Amino acid sequence: MDAEELPGESPHVDEEEVWIWKNGLVVRTKSQIEVLTKKVEIFNCSIEKIDSRSGYLKDMLDLNTELTGYFSSITDNVNIRDLFDFLTICFCEYDHFFKENQEQIFLNEEEKNVLLPIAYDIVFNDIKSILDFIDNNTGNYS
């Protein structure tokens, strides 16, 4: 036993290793990401159909493109810490975006009745669900 190691203490595990999943958790996370990607693509099509000149909708399309681009770069070995950090940032950006543009969104019937429900579902159901899943399945590692 190492002089610095205490009895009952688990051997040193590389901190990065616990954040890289290679089994069923990856499959579940990837299926959640696939659902989210499809919803974001539908959302983008809906934004384009509305053909609004709102600058904030262009910003939303840019954020959606960043999200789907990140997802398409994920490999079999998902670094779950990076994914969690990225989704947390996206969640905060979407939330801030809604609060900042709420008045404008509610003034336009199509944005309020078509886009807002899709966006809400993406952020507060899908992204939050993935974050909760990651949190619930990595809590023992921290």
PDB file of all heavy atoms in Angstrom, residues 32-33 35-37 39-40 63-64 67 71 83-84 86-95 98 119-134:
ATOM      1  N   GLN A  32     -31.152   9.717 -27.464  1.00  0.00           N
ATOM      2  CA  GLN A  32     -31.729  10.996 -27.044  1.00  0.00           C
ATOM      3  C   GLN A  32     -31.241  12.127 -27.961  1.00  0.00           C
ATOM      4  O   GLN A  32     -32.004  13.014 -28.322  1.00  0.00           O
ATOM      5  CB  GLN A  32     -31.352  11.308 -25.593  1.00  0.00           C
ATOM      6  CG  GLN A  32     -32.033  10.422 -24.575  1.00  0.00           C
ATOM      7  CD  GLN A  32     -31.523  10.680 -23.167  1.00  0.00           C
ATOM      8  OE1 GLN A  32     -30.314  10.664 -22.921  1.00  0.00           O
ATOM      9  NE2 GLN A  32     -32.432  10.938 -22.254  1.00  0.00           N
ATOM     10  N   ILE A  33     -29.976  12.069 -28.329  1.00  0.00           N
ATOM     11  CA  ILE A  33     -29.400  13.084 -29.205  1.00  0.00           C
ATOM     12  C   ILE A  33     -30.026  13.006 -30.599  1.00  0.00           C
ATOM     13  O   ILE A  33     -30.290  14.035 -31.225  1.00  0.00           O
ATOM     14  CB  ILE A  33     -27.858  12.945 -29.257  1.00  0.00           C
ATOM     15  CG1 ILE A  33     -27.261  13.421 -27.929  1.00  0.00           C
ATOM     16  CG2 ILE A  33     -27.269  13.717 -30.421  1.00  0.00           C
ATOM     17  CD1 ILE A  33     -25.793  13.103 -27.763  1.00  0.00           C
ATOM     18  N   VAL A  35     -33.072  12.034 -31.355  1.00  0.00           N
ATOM     19  CA  VAL A  35     -34.405  12.631 -31.241  1.00  0.00           C
ATOM     20  C   VAL A  35     -34.286  14.153 -31.210  1.00  0.00           C
ATOM     21  O   VAL A  35     -35.016  14.861 -31.915  1.00  0.00           O
ATOM     22  CB  VAL A  35     -35.143  12.111 -29.977  1.00  0.00           C
ATOM     23  CG1 VAL A  35     -36.395  12.917 -29.691  1.00  0.00           C
ATOM     24  CG2 VAL A  35     -35.460  10.627 -30.120  1.00  0.00           C
ATOM     25  N   LEU A  36     -33.369  14.658 -30.415  1.00  0.00           N
ATOM     26  CA  LEU A  36     -33.158  16.096 -30.304  1.00  0.00           C
ATOM     27  C   LEU A  36     -32.734  16.695 -31.645  1.00  0.00           C
ATOM     28  O   LEU A  36     -33.249  17.746 -32.050  1.00  0.00           O
ATOM     29  CB  LEU A  36     -32.114  16.403 -29.229  1.00  0.00           C
ATOM     30  CG  LEU A  36     -31.711  17.858 -29.034  1.00  0.00           C
ATOM     31  CD1 LEU A  36     -32.914  18.740 -28.761  1.00  0.00           C
ATOM     32  CD2 LEU A  36     -30.697  17.968 -27.902  1.00  0.00           C
ATOM     33  N   THR A  37     -31.845  16.022 -32.347  1.00  0.00           N
ATOM     34  CA  THR A  37     -31.380  16.518 -33.653  1.00  0.00           C
ATOM     35  C   THR A  37     -32.546  16.630 -34.632  1.00  0.00           C
ATOM     36  O   THR A  37     -32.672  17.633 -35.343  1.00  0.00           O
ATOM     37  CB  THR A  37     -30.282  15.592 -34.220  1.00  0.00           C
ATOM     38  OG1 THR A  37     -29.190  15.576 -33.299  1.00  0.00           O
ATOM     39  CG2 THR A  37     -29.797  16.080 -35.565  1.00  0.00           C
ATOM     40  N   LYS A  39     -35.697  17.052 -33.921  1.00  0.00           N
ATOM     41  CA  LYS A  39     -36.557  18.163 -33.499  1.00  0.00           C
ATOM     42  C   LYS A  39     -35.948  19.512 -33.862  1.00  0.00           C
ATOM     43  O   LYS A  39     -36.653  20.428 -34.267  1.00  0.00           O
ATOM     44  CB  LYS A  39     -36.830  18.089 -31.995  1.00  0.00           C
ATOM     45  CG  LYS A  39     -37.794  16.991 -31.612  1.00  0.00           C
ATOM     46  CD  LYS A  39     -38.083  17.013 -30.133  1.00  0.00           C
ATOM     47  CE  LYS A  39     -39.077  15.938 -29.749  1.00  0.00           C
ATOM     48  NZ  LYS A  39     -39.397  15.987 -28.314  1.00  0.00           N
ATOM     49  N   VAL A  40     -34.642  19.630 -33.727  1.00  0.00           N
ATOM     50  CA  VAL A  40     -33.969  20.878 -34.081  1.00  0.00           C
ATOM     51  C   VAL A  40     -34.083  21.118 -35.590  1.00  0.00           C
ATOM     52  O   VAL A  40     -34.317  22.247 -36.027  1.00  0.00           O
ATOM     53  CB  VAL A  40     -32.494  20.880 -33.611  1.00  0.00           C
ATOM     54  CG1 VAL A  40     -31.724  22.055 -34.196  1.00  0.00           C
ATOM     55  CG2 VAL A  40     -32.418  20.925 -32.087  1.00  0.00           C
ATOM     56  N   LEU A  63     -27.544  29.136 -33.480  1.00  0.00           N
ATOM     57  CA  LEU A  63     -27.390  28.302 -32.292  1.00  0.00           C
ATOM     58  C   LEU A  63     -27.797  26.857 -32.608  1.00  0.00           C
ATOM     59  O   LEU A  63     -27.121  25.912 -32.205  1.00  0.00           O
ATOM     60  CB  LEU A  63     -28.217  28.850 -31.124  1.00  0.00           C
ATOM     61  CG  LEU A  63     -28.143  28.089 -29.804  1.00  0.00           C
ATOM     62  CD1 LEU A  63     -26.709  27.967 -29.308  1.00  0.00           C
ATOM     63  CD2 LEU A  63     -29.004  28.785 -28.760  1.00  0.00           C
ATOM     64  N   ASN A  64     -28.875  26.696 -33.359  1.00  0.00           N
ATOM     65  CA  ASN A  64     -29.317  25.355 -33.739  1.00  0.00           C
ATOM     66  C   ASN A  64     -28.271  24.657 -34.607  1.00  0.00           C
ATOM     67  O   ASN A  64     -28.032  23.455 -34.467  1.00  0.00           O
ATOM     68  CB  ASN A  64     -30.647  25.419 -34.495  1.00  0.00           C
ATOM     69  CG  ASN A  64     -31.793  25.841 -33.600  1.00  0.00           C
ATOM     70  OD1 ASN A  64     -31.685  25.849 -32.388  1.00  0.00           O
ATOM     71  ND2 ASN A  64     -32.896  26.208 -34.213  1.00  0.00           N
ATOM     72  N   LEU A  67     -25.519  23.454 -32.436  1.00  0.00           N
ATOM     73  CA  LEU A  67     -25.967  22.271 -31.696  1.00  0.00           C
ATOM     74  C   LEU A  67     -25.891  21.020 -32.571  1.00  0.00           C
ATOM     75  O   LEU A  67     -25.288  20.017 -32.175  1.00  0.00           O
ATOM     76  CB  LEU A  67     -27.400  22.493 -31.214  1.00  0.00           C
ATOM     77  CG  LEU A  67     -28.013  21.468 -30.284  1.00  0.00           C
ATOM     78  CD1 LEU A  67     -27.365  21.541 -28.912  1.00  0.00           C
ATOM     79  CD2 LEU A  67     -29.503  21.716 -30.150  1.00  0.00           C
ATOM     80  N   PHE A  71     -23.355  17.675 -32.366  1.00  0.00           N
ATOM     81  CA  PHE A  71     -23.875  16.310 -32.287  1.00  0.00           C
ATOM     82  C   PHE A  71     -23.321  15.419 -33.390  1.00  0.00           C
ATOM     83  O   PHE A  71     -23.051  14.251 -33.164  1.00  0.00           O
ATOM     84  CB  PHE A  71     -25.403  16.300 -32.342  1.00  0.00           C
ATOM     85  CG  PHE A  71     -26.058  16.834 -31.101  1.00  0.00           C
ATOM     86  CD1 PHE A  71     -27.346  17.330 -31.158  1.00  0.00           C
ATOM     87  CD2 PHE A  71     -25.407  16.859 -29.883  1.00  0.00           C
ATOM     88  CE1 PHE A  71     -27.967  17.824 -30.029  1.00  0.00           C
ATOM     89  CE2 PHE A  71     -26.010  17.358 -28.742  1.00  0.00           C
ATOM     90  CZ  PHE A  71     -27.305  17.836 -28.812  1.00  0.00           C
ATOM     91  N   LEU A  83     -19.959  16.855 -23.372  1.00  0.00           N
ATOM     92  CA  LEU A  83     -21.357  16.909 -23.797  1.00  0.00           C
ATOM     93  C   LEU A  83     -22.201  17.637 -22.759  1.00  0.00           C
ATOM     94  O   LEU A  83     -23.014  18.500 -23.099  1.00  0.00           O
ATOM     95  CB  LEU A  83     -21.903  15.502 -24.035  1.00  0.00           C
ATOM     96  CG  LEU A  83     -23.377  15.411 -24.415  1.00  0.00           C
ATOM     97  CD1 LEU A  83     -23.657  16.129 -25.734  1.00  0.00           C
ATOM     98  CD2 LEU A  83     -23.816  13.950 -24.487  1.00  0.00           C
ATOM     99  N   PHE A  84     -22.005  17.306 -21.493  1.00  0.00           N
ATOM    100  CA  PHE A  84     -22.758  17.941 -20.416  1.00  0.00           C
ATOM    101  C   PHE A  84     -22.494  19.448 -20.389  1.00  0.00           C
ATOM    102  O   PHE A  84     -23.438  20.248 -20.304  1.00  0.00           O
ATOM    103  CB  PHE A  84     -22.388  17.314 -19.067  1.00  0.00           C
ATOM    104  CG  PHE A  84     -23.231  17.803 -17.928  1.00  0.00           C
ATOM    105  CD1 PHE A  84     -24.464  17.224 -17.660  1.00  0.00           C
ATOM    106  CD2 PHE A  84     -22.795  18.842 -17.121  1.00  0.00           C
ATOM    107  CE1 PHE A  84     -25.244  17.669 -16.603  1.00  0.00           C
ATOM    108  CE2 PHE A  84     -23.583  19.299 -16.068  1.00  0.00           C
ATOM    109  CZ  PHE A  84     -24.807  18.707 -15.812  1.00  0.00           C
ATOM    110  N   PHE A  86     -21.392  21.361 -22.871  1.00  0.00           N
ATOM    111  CA  PHE A  86     -21.943  21.966 -24.075  1.00  0.00           C
ATOM    112  C   PHE A  86     -23.454  22.132 -23.961  1.00  0.00           C
ATOM    113  O   PHE A  86     -24.001  23.202 -24.262  1.00  0.00           O
ATOM    114  CB  PHE A  86     -21.585  21.114 -25.301  1.00  0.00           C
ATOM    115  CG  PHE A  86     -22.167  21.646 -26.578  1.00  0.00           C
ATOM    116  CD1 PHE A  86     -21.601  22.746 -27.202  1.00  0.00           C
ATOM    117  CD2 PHE A  86     -23.288  21.061 -27.140  1.00  0.00           C
ATOM    118  CE1 PHE A  86     -22.145  23.252 -28.380  1.00  0.00           C
ATOM    119  CE2 PHE A  86     -23.834  21.555 -28.313  1.00  0.00           C
ATOM    120  CZ  PHE A  86     -23.260  22.655 -28.931  1.00  0.00           C
ATOM    121  N   LEU A  87     -24.155  21.089 -23.519  1.00  0.00           N
ATOM    122  CA  LEU A  87     -25.612  21.179 -23.398  1.00  0.00           C
ATOM    123  C   LEU A  87     -26.042  22.167 -22.321  1.00  0.00           C
ATOM    124  O   LEU A  87     -27.067  22.832 -22.460  1.00  0.00           O
ATOM    125  CB  LEU A  87     -26.215  19.801 -23.127  1.00  0.00           C
ATOM    126  CG  LEU A  87     -26.210  18.840 -24.303  1.00  0.00           C
ATOM    127  CD1 LEU A  87     -26.733  17.471 -23.877  1.00  0.00           C
ATOM    128  CD2 LEU A  87     -27.026  19.395 -25.458  1.00  0.00           C
ATOM    129  N   THR A  88     -25.267  22.270 -21.267  1.00  0.00           N
ATOM    130  CA  THR A  88     -25.575  23.248 -20.217  1.00  0.00           C
ATOM    131  C   THR A  88     -25.473  24.662 -20.781  1.00  0.00           C
ATOM    132  O   THR A  88     -26.343  25.508 -20.534  1.00  0.00           O
ATOM    133  CB  THR A  88     -24.623  23.074 -19.019  1.00  0.00           C
ATOM    134  OG1 THR A  88     -24.794  21.763 -18.489  1.00  0.00           O
ATOM    135  CG2 THR A  88     -24.903  24.106 -17.938  1.00  0.00           C
ATOM    136  N   ILE A  89     -24.434  24.915 -21.556  1.00  0.00           N
ATOM    137  CA  ILE A  89     -24.274  26.230 -22.184  1.00  0.00           C
ATOM    138  C   ILE A  89     -25.430  26.498 -23.142  1.00  0.00           C
ATOM    139  O   ILE A  89     -26.011  27.587 -23.140  1.00  0.00           O
ATOM    140  CB  ILE A  89     -22.909  26.330 -22.898  1.00  0.00           C
ATOM    141  CG1 ILE A  89     -21.778  26.366 -21.865  1.00  0.00           C
ATOM    142  CG2 ILE A  89     -22.846  27.545 -23.818  1.00  0.00           C
ATOM    143  CD1 ILE A  89     -20.392  26.142 -22.443  1.00  0.00           C
ATOM    144  N   CYS A  90     -25.779  25.498 -23.962  1.00  0.00           N
ATOM    145  CA  CYS A  90     -26.905  25.662 -24.899  1.00  0.00           C
ATOM    146  C   CYS A  90     -28.201  25.931 -24.151  1.00  0.00           C
ATOM    147  O   CYS A  90     -28.983  26.807 -24.537  1.00  0.00           O
ATOM    148  CB  CYS A  90     -27.069  24.424 -25.772  1.00  0.00           C
ATOM    149  SG  CYS A  90     -25.799  24.265 -27.024  1.00  0.00           S
ATOM    150  N   PHE A  91     -28.440  25.183 -23.083  1.00  0.00           N
ATOM    151  CA  PHE A  91     -29.647  25.373 -22.285  1.00  0.00           C
ATOM    152  C   PHE A  91     -29.723  26.819 -21.796  1.00  0.00           C
ATOM    153  O   PHE A  91     -30.757  27.476 -21.916  1.00  0.00           O
ATOM    154  CB  PHE A  91     -29.664  24.403 -21.099  1.00  0.00           C
ATOM    155  CG  PHE A  91     -30.899  24.484 -20.259  1.00  0.00           C
ATOM    156  CD1 PHE A  91     -31.994  23.689 -20.549  1.00  0.00           C
ATOM    157  CD2 PHE A  91     -30.977  25.348 -19.183  1.00  0.00           C
ATOM    158  CE1 PHE A  91     -33.145  23.754 -19.785  1.00  0.00           C
ATOM    159  CE2 PHE A  91     -32.120  25.429 -18.412  1.00  0.00           C
ATOM    160  CZ  PHE A  91     -33.210  24.623 -18.710  1.00  0.00           C
ATOM    161  N   CYS A  92     -28.618  27.318 -21.269  1.00  0.00           N
ATOM    162  CA  CYS A  92     -28.583  28.694 -20.760  1.00  0.00           C
ATOM    163  C   CYS A  92     -28.757  29.713 -21.887  1.00  0.00           C
ATOM    164  O   CYS A  92     -29.455  30.715 -21.711  1.00  0.00           O
ATOM    165  CB  CYS A  92     -27.275  28.947 -20.012  1.00  0.00           C
ATOM    166  SG  CYS A  92     -27.133  28.015 -18.480  1.00  0.00           S
ATOM    167  N   GLU A  93     -28.141  29.452 -23.043  1.00  0.00           N
ATOM    168  CA  GLU A  93     -28.280  30.370 -24.173  1.00  0.00           C
ATOM    169  C   GLU A  93     -29.723  30.414 -24.676  1.00  0.00           C
ATOM    170  O   GLU A  93     -30.253  31.485 -24.946  1.00  0.00           O
ATOM    171  CB  GLU A  93     -27.334  29.978 -25.310  1.00  0.00           C
ATOM    172  CG  GLU A  93     -25.900  30.348 -25.039  1.00  0.00           C
ATOM    173  CD  GLU A  93     -24.982  30.067 -26.218  1.00  0.00           C
ATOM    174  OE1 GLU A  93     -25.437  30.101 -27.377  1.00  0.00           O
ATOM    175  OE2 GLU A  93     -23.799  29.812 -25.971  1.00  0.00           O
ATOM    176  N   TYR A  94     -30.348  29.252 -24.821  1.00  0.00           N
ATOM    177  CA  TYR A  94     -31.740  29.216 -25.254  1.00  0.00           C
ATOM    178  C   TYR A  94     -32.635  29.936 -24.239  1.00  0.00           C
ATOM    179  O   TYR A  94     -33.492  30.736 -24.604  1.00  0.00           O
ATOM    180  CB  TYR A  94     -32.244  27.779 -25.421  1.00  0.00           C
ATOM    181  CG  TYR A  94     -31.870  27.105 -26.708  1.00  0.00           C
ATOM    182  CD1 TYR A  94     -31.042  25.989 -26.707  1.00  0.00           C
ATOM    183  CD2 TYR A  94     -32.363  27.548 -27.933  1.00  0.00           C
ATOM    184  CE1 TYR A  94     -30.714  25.340 -27.895  1.00  0.00           C
ATOM    185  CE2 TYR A  94     -32.036  26.905 -29.117  1.00  0.00           C
ATOM    186  CZ  TYR A  94     -31.210  25.801 -29.089  1.00  0.00           C
ATOM    187  OH  TYR A  94     -30.890  25.165 -30.258  1.00  0.00           O
ATOM    188  N   ASP A  95     -32.431  29.635 -22.967  1.00  0.00           N
ATOM    189  CA  ASP A  95     -33.240  30.256 -21.917  1.00  0.00           C
ATOM    190  C   ASP A  95     -33.082  31.776 -21.939  1.00  0.00           C
ATOM    191  O   ASP A  95     -34.063  32.518 -21.878  1.00  0.00           O
ATOM    192  CB  ASP A  95     -32.845  29.686 -20.554  1.00  0.00           C
ATOM    193  CG  ASP A  95     -33.772  30.131 -19.444  1.00  0.00           C
ATOM    194  OD1 ASP A  95     -35.008  30.032 -19.619  1.00  0.00           O
ATOM    195  OD2 ASP A  95     -33.258  30.588 -18.401  1.00  0.00           O
ATOM    196  N   PHE A  98     -34.885  33.256 -24.985  1.00  0.00           N
ATOM    197  CA  PHE A  98     -36.340  33.374 -24.816  1.00  0.00           C
ATOM    198  C   PHE A  98     -36.701  34.560 -23.937  1.00  0.00           C
ATOM    199  O   PHE A  98     -37.620  35.322 -24.247  1.00  0.00           O
ATOM    200  CB  PHE A  98     -36.945  32.111 -24.205  1.00  0.00           C
ATOM    201  CG  PHE A  98     -36.804  30.893 -25.065  1.00  0.00           C
ATOM    202  CD1 PHE A  98     -36.483  29.678 -24.510  1.00  0.00           C
ATOM    203  CD2 PHE A  98     -36.996  30.955 -26.437  1.00  0.00           C
ATOM    204  CE1 PHE A  98     -36.356  28.545 -25.303  1.00  0.00           C
ATOM    205  CE2 PHE A  98     -36.871  29.835 -27.237  1.00  0.00           C
ATOM    206  CZ  PHE A  98     -36.552  28.621 -26.660  1.00  0.00           C
ATOM    207  N   ALA A 119     -39.628  25.115 -29.680  1.00  0.00           N
ATOM    208  CA  ALA A 119     -38.418  25.528 -28.968  1.00  0.00           C
ATOM    209  C   ALA A 119     -38.489  25.128 -27.496  1.00  0.00           C
ATOM    210  O   ALA A 119     -37.514  24.621 -26.928  1.00  0.00           O
ATOM    211  CB  ALA A 119     -38.219  27.030 -29.095  1.00  0.00           C
ATOM    212  N   TYR A 120     -39.641  25.345 -26.900  1.00  0.00           N
ATOM    213  CA  TYR A 120     -39.821  24.982 -25.488  1.00  0.00           C
ATOM    214  C   TYR A 120     -39.602  23.484 -25.290  1.00  0.00           C
ATOM    215  O   TYR A 120     -38.923  23.057 -24.353  1.00  0.00           O
ATOM    216  CB  TYR A 120     -41.214  25.392 -25.013  1.00  0.00           C
ATOM    217  CG  TYR A 120     -41.405  25.216 -23.535  1.00  0.00           C
ATOM    218  CD1 TYR A 120     -41.095  26.235 -22.650  1.00  0.00           C
ATOM    219  CD2 TYR A 120     -41.877  24.021 -23.008  1.00  0.00           C
ATOM    220  CE1 TYR A 120     -41.248  26.080 -21.282  1.00  0.00           C
ATOM    221  CE2 TYR A 120     -42.040  23.845 -21.649  1.00  0.00           C
ATOM    222  CZ  TYR A 120     -41.721  24.882 -20.793  1.00  0.00           C
ATOM    223  OH  TYR A 120     -41.866  24.708 -19.440  1.00  0.00           O
ATOM    224  N   ASP A 121     -40.169  22.684 -26.204  1.00  0.00           N
ATOM    225  CA  ASP A 121     -40.016  21.232 -26.125  1.00  0.00           C
ATOM    226  C   ASP A 121     -38.546  20.836 -26.241  1.00  0.00           C
ATOM    227  O   ASP A 121     -38.062  19.997 -25.476  1.00  0.00           O
ATOM    228  CB  ASP A 121     -40.849  20.569 -27.229  1.00  0.00           C
ATOM    229  CG  ASP A 121     -40.818  19.058 -27.158  1.00  0.00           C
ATOM    230  OD1 ASP A 121     -40.983  18.504 -26.053  1.00  0.00           O
ATOM    231  OD2 ASP A 121     -40.640  18.429 -28.213  1.00  0.00           O
ATOM    232  N   ILE A 122     -37.836  21.448 -27.165  1.00  0.00           N
ATOM    233  CA  ILE A 122     -36.415  21.147 -27.358  1.00  0.00           C
ATOM    234  C   ILE A 122     -35.611  21.451 -26.102  1.00  0.00           C
ATOM    235  O   ILE A 122     -34.843  20.624 -25.619  1.00  0.00           O
ATOM    236  CB  ILE A 122     -35.849  21.944 -28.559  1.00  0.00           C
ATOM    237  CG1 ILE A 122     -36.390  21.364 -29.868  1.00  0.00           C
ATOM    238  CG2 ILE A 122     -34.322  21.965 -28.555  1.00  0.00           C
ATOM    239  CD1 ILE A 122     -36.106  22.220 -31.089  1.00  0.00           C
ATOM    240  N   VAL A 123     -35.823  22.623 -25.550  1.00  0.00           N
ATOM    241  CA  VAL A 123     -35.000  23.074 -24.418  1.00  0.00           C
ATOM    242  C   VAL A 123     -35.407  22.414 -23.114  1.00  0.00           C
ATOM    243  O   VAL A 123     -34.586  21.830 -22.412  1.00  0.00           O
ATOM    244  CB  VAL A 123     -35.041  24.606 -24.279  1.00  0.00           C
ATOM    245  CG1 VAL A 123     -34.287  25.062 -23.045  1.00  0.00           C
ATOM    246  CG2 VAL A 123     -34.482  25.262 -25.517  1.00  0.00           C
ATOM    247  N   PHE A 124     -36.677  22.519 -22.784  1.00  0.00           N
ATOM    248  CA  PHE A 124     -37.106  22.120 -21.443  1.00  0.00           C
ATOM    249  C   PHE A 124     -37.520  20.658 -21.342  1.00  0.00           C
ATOM    250  O   PHE A 124     -37.738  20.164 -20.237  1.00  0.00           O
ATOM    251  CB  PHE A 124     -38.204  23.051 -20.948  1.00  0.00           C
ATOM    252  CG  PHE A 124     -37.701  24.450 -20.790  1.00  0.00           C
ATOM    253  CD1 PHE A 124     -38.031  25.430 -21.714  1.00  0.00           C
ATOM    254  CD2 PHE A 124     -36.860  24.791 -19.749  1.00  0.00           C
ATOM    255  CE1 PHE A 124     -37.548  26.722 -21.593  1.00  0.00           C
ATOM    256  CE2 PHE A 124     -36.367  26.082 -19.616  1.00  0.00           C
ATOM    257  CZ  PHE A 124     -36.713  27.041 -20.539  1.00  0.00           C
ATOM    258  N   ASN A 125     -37.606  19.963 -22.469  1.00  0.00           N
ATOM    259  CA  ASN A 125     -37.844  18.524 -22.410  1.00  0.00           C
ATOM    260  C   ASN A 125     -36.599  17.761 -22.843  1.00  0.00           C
ATOM    261  O   ASN A 125     -36.045  17.000 -22.065  1.00  0.00           O
ATOM    262  CB  ASN A 125     -39.051  18.126 -23.270  1.00  0.00           C
ATOM    263  CG  ASN A 125     -40.348  18.621 -22.663  1.00  0.00           C
ATOM    264  OD1 ASN A 125     -40.465  18.790 -21.466  1.00  0.00           O
ATOM    265  ND2 ASN A 125     -41.318  18.879 -23.503  1.00  0.00           N
ATOM    266  N   ASP A 126     -36.154  17.980 -24.076  1.00  0.00           N
ATOM    267  CA  ASP A 126     -35.062  17.171 -24.612  1.00  0.00           C
ATOM    268  C   ASP A 126     -33.699  17.499 -24.010  1.00  0.00           C
ATOM    269  O   ASP A 126     -33.019  16.603 -23.509  1.00  0.00           O
ATOM    270  CB  ASP A 126     -35.029  17.294 -26.138  1.00  0.00           C
ATOM    271  CG  ASP A 126     -36.261  16.688 -26.762  1.00  0.00           C
ATOM    272  OD1 ASP A 126     -36.442  15.469 -26.637  1.00  0.00           O
ATOM    273  OD2 ASP A 126     -37.053  17.444 -27.348  1.00  0.00           O
ATOM    274  N   ILE A 127     -33.287  18.746 -24.093  1.00  0.00           N
ATOM    275  CA  ILE A 127     -31.965  19.099 -23.547  1.00  0.00           C
ATOM    276  C   ILE A 127     -31.936  18.836 -22.051  1.00  0.00           C
ATOM    277  O   ILE A 127     -30.994  18.231 -21.529  1.00  0.00           O
ATOM    278  CB  ILE A 127     -31.582  20.561 -23.879  1.00  0.00           C
ATOM    279  CG1 ILE A 127     -31.347  20.707 -25.385  1.00  0.00           C
ATOM    280  CG2 ILE A 127     -30.327  20.981 -23.097  1.00  0.00           C
ATOM    281  CD1 ILE A 127     -31.032  22.121 -25.840  1.00  0.00           C
ATOM    282  N   LYS A 128     -32.965  19.245 -21.353  1.00  0.00           N
ATOM    283  CA  LYS A 128     -33.013  19.026 -19.902  1.00  0.00           C
ATOM    284  C   LYS A 128     -33.012  17.536 -19.572  1.00  0.00           C
ATOM    285  O   LYS A 128     -32.350  17.098 -18.632  1.00  0.00           O
ATOM    286  CB  LYS A 128     -34.244  19.702 -19.306  1.00  0.00           C
ATOM    287  CG  LYS A 128     -34.369  19.500 -17.808  1.00  0.00           C
ATOM    288  CD  LYS A 128     -34.634  20.763 -17.101  1.00  0.00           C
ATOM    289  CE  LYS A 128     -34.813  20.630 -15.617  1.00  0.00           C
ATOM    290  NZ  LYS A 128     -33.988  19.683 -14.925  1.00  0.00           N
ATOM    291  N   SER A 129     -33.715  16.742 -20.370  1.00  0.00           N
ATOM    292  CA  SER A 129     -33.754  15.297 -20.157  1.00  0.00           C
ATOM    293  C   SER A 129     -32.366  14.670 -20.308  1.00  0.00           C
ATOM    294  O   SER A 129     -31.971  13.811 -19.507  1.00  0.00           O
ATOM    295  CB  SER A 129     -34.738  14.668 -21.151  1.00  0.00           C
ATOM    296  OG  SER A 129     -34.650  13.288 -21.120  1.00  0.00           O
ATOM    297  N   ILE A 130     -31.623  15.093 -21.321  1.00  0.00           N
ATOM    298  CA  ILE A 130     -30.267  14.571 -21.504  1.00  0.00           C
ATOM    299  C   ILE A 130     -29.369  15.005 -20.351  1.00  0.00           C
ATOM    300  O   ILE A 130     -28.601  14.198 -19.809  1.00  0.00           O
ATOM    301  CB  ILE A 130     -29.678  15.018 -22.863  1.00  0.00           C
ATOM    302  CG1 ILE A 130     -30.482  14.413 -24.020  1.00  0.00           C
ATOM    303  CG2 ILE A 130     -28.204  14.612 -22.968  1.00  0.00           C
ATOM    304  CD1 ILE A 130     -30.140  14.999 -25.383  1.00  0.00           C
ATOM    305  N   LEU A 131     -29.470  16.256 -19.949  1.00  0.00           N
ATOM    306  CA  LEU A 131     -28.669  16.736 -18.811  1.00  0.00           C
ATOM    307  C   LEU A 131     -29.003  15.956 -17.540  1.00  0.00           C
ATOM    308  O   LEU A 131     -28.097  15.560 -16.798  1.00  0.00           O
ATOM    309  CB  LEU A 131     -28.897  18.237 -18.594  1.00  0.00           C
ATOM    310  CG  LEU A 131     -28.287  19.159 -19.644  1.00  0.00           C
ATOM    311  CD1 LEU A 131     -28.785  20.593 -19.443  1.00  0.00           C
ATOM    312  CD2 LEU A 131     -26.772  19.110 -19.612  1.00  0.00           C
ATOM    313  N   ASP A 132     -30.281  15.726 -17.295  1.00  0.00           N
ATOM    314  CA  ASP A 132     -30.688  14.955 -16.114  1.00  0.00           C
ATOM    315  C   ASP A 132     -30.174  13.520 -16.180  1.00  0.00           C
ATOM    316  O   ASP A 132     -29.707  12.970 -15.185  1.00  0.00           O
ATOM    317  CB  ASP A 132     -32.213  14.954 -15.964  1.00  0.00           C
ATOM    318  CG  ASP A 132     -32.767  16.298 -15.540  1.00  0.00           C
ATOM    319  OD1 ASP A 132     -31.991  17.168 -15.081  1.00  0.00           O
ATOM    320  OD2 ASP A 132     -33.993  16.498 -15.687  1.00  0.00           O
ATOM    321  N   PHE A 133     -30.262  12.913 -17.367  1.00  0.00           N
ATOM    322  CA  PHE A 133     -29.771  11.541 -17.538  1.00  0.00           C
ATOM    323  C   PHE A 133     -28.275  11.463 -17.234  1.00  0.00           C
ATOM    324  O   PHE A 133     -27.820  10.565 -16.519  1.00  0.00           O
ATOM    325  CB  PHE A 133     -30.058  11.045 -18.959  1.00  0.00           C
ATOM    326  CG  PHE A 133     -29.580   9.653 -19.215  1.00  0.00           C
ATOM    327  CD1 PHE A 133     -30.262   8.567 -18.704  1.00  0.00           C
ATOM    328  CD2 PHE A 133     -28.423   9.431 -19.954  1.00  0.00           C
ATOM    329  CE1 PHE A 133     -29.814   7.268 -18.928  1.00  0.00           C
ATOM    330  CE2 PHE A 133     -27.964   8.146 -20.185  1.00  0.00           C
ATOM    331  CZ  PHE A 133     -28.665   7.060 -19.673  1.00  0.00           C
ATOM    332  N   ILE A 134     -27.519  12.389 -17.777  1.00  0.00           N
ATOM    333  CA  ILE A 134     -26.075  12.408 -17.521  1.00  0.00           C
ATOM    334  C   ILE A 134     -25.803  12.618 -16.040  1.00  0.00           C
ATOM    335  O   ILE A 134     -25.003  11.905 -15.428  1.00  0.00           O
ATOM    336  CB  ILE A 134     -25.380  13.498 -18.356  1.00  0.00           C
ATOM    337  CG1 ILE A 134     -25.443  13.144 -19.846  1.00  0.00           C
ATOM    338  CG2 ILE A 134     -23.926  13.693 -17.907  1.00  0.00           C
ATOM    339  CD1 ILE A 134     -25.019  14.284 -20.767  1.00  0.00           C
TER     340      ILE A 134
END
